[in-house]
């Protein structure tokens, strides 16, 4: 999933829970989701490595990341 955080950052993660049932950390609005597991998550984490905040699942909302999210929507 791709989620928009209250801080303007984008969270990229995976879950087996249904949409809206992320649990724990609920400080983002889910914008879109893509099928797949950790390999898909790793792909997106590597694709947007320049935007990544440390080793977290949070990324700066760059033009290329936002454009890709719009296309996925």
């Amino acid at each position: 999933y791709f989620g928009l955080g209250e801080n303007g950052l984008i969270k990229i993660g995976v879950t087996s829970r249904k949409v809206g049932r992320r649990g724990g950390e609920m400080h983002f609005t889910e914008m879109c989701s893509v099928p797949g597991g950790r390999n898909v998550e790793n792909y997106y984490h590597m694709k947007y490595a320049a935007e990544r905040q440390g080793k977290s699942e949070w990324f700066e909302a760059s033009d290329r990341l936002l454009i890709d999210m719009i296309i996925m929507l």
Side-chain angles (χ1 to χ4, degrees):
Y1 60 85
F2 288 73
L4 178 61
E6 296 170 354
N7 54 6
L9 297 174
I10 305 295
K11 183 168 185 176
I12 301 174
V14 297
T15 186
S16 60
R17 296 180 184 197
K18 296 181 187 231
V19 173
R21 307 269 314 171
R22 298 291 175 233
E25 184 180 339
M26 294 300 291
H27 305 288
F28 65 91
T29 301
E30 186 173 324
M31 303 303 291
C32 60
S33 61
V34 293
R38 293 279 177 214
N39 59 333
V40 173
E41 179 187 46
N42 290 338
Y43 166 78
Y44 285 113
H45 284 194
M46 287 177 22
K47 182 175 182 177
Y48 304 114
E51 289 90 342
R52 193 170 191 173
Q53 301 295 294
K55 294 184 178 188
S56 72
E57 293 186 330
W58 292 96
F59 298 78
E60 289 287 332
S62 67
D63 289 346
R64 71 188 190 117
L65 177 50
L66 292 173
I67 288 169
D68 283 353
M69 282 180 54
I70 289 168
I71 292 168
M72 285 187 262
L73 290 171

